[in-house]
Amino acid sequence: LVSLFMSDLMVGLVVMPPAMLNQLYGRWVLQGDFCSLWYSFDVMCCSASILNLCVISLDRYLLIISPLKYKLRMTSCRALWLILATWTLAALASFLPI
């Protein structure tokens, strides 16, 4: 849940202010190099948010399917690995195309 919070917070703090400027002025008013970086952060944060929701759904599914084996399957190390994989995948999908 903290990872989902962080991705949504980054959308609000990093992605939305330039998007609001873009909407207000009807064009891109910031530096041109910043545009590519902004698009990458937009894709990364939105992808991380969606992937975090998928990981949370998987976690809840595993808890419901086998509640007695859940603590053996979902260790803190595996949870950390899933969070790291989520952010890595989101970053690769957004920054590699640049």
Side-chain angles (χ1 to χ4, degrees):
L1 289 175
V2 173
S3 181
L4 177 64
F5 166 75
M6 289 305 295
S7 63
D8 289 342
L9 182 67
M10 285 179 64
V11 167
L13 293 178
V14 177
V15 174
M16 294 309 273
M20 288 188 306
L21 285 173
N22 196 18
Q23 280 296 112
L24 287 173
Y25 290 104
R27 60 182 175 82
W28 187 256
V29 294
L30 301 172
Q31 291 179 347
D33 296 338
F34 185 66
C35 182
S36 298
L37 186 66
W38 175 74
Y39 274 126
S40 294
F41 268 102
D42 186 13
V43 171
M44 182 186 75
C45 294
C46 292
S47 298
S49 183
I50 293 168
L51 290 172
N52 278 313
L53 287 173
C54 292
V55 168
I56 291 170
S57 298
L58 175 68
D59 179 62
R60 298 296 100 195
Y61 175 76
L62 291 174
L63 181 64
I64 290 171
I65 293 300
S66 57
L68 299 177
K69 294 180 184 178
Y70 176 76
K71 287 197 177 206
L72 295 173
R73 285 186 182 163
M74 191 56 67
T75 62
S76 59
C77 183
R78 282 190 183 158
L80 188 61
W81 184 85
L82 283 170
I83 292 169
L84 184 66
T86 297
W87 282 97
T88 302
L89 188 62
L92 287 175
S94 61
F95 283 100
L96 275 183
I98 288 182

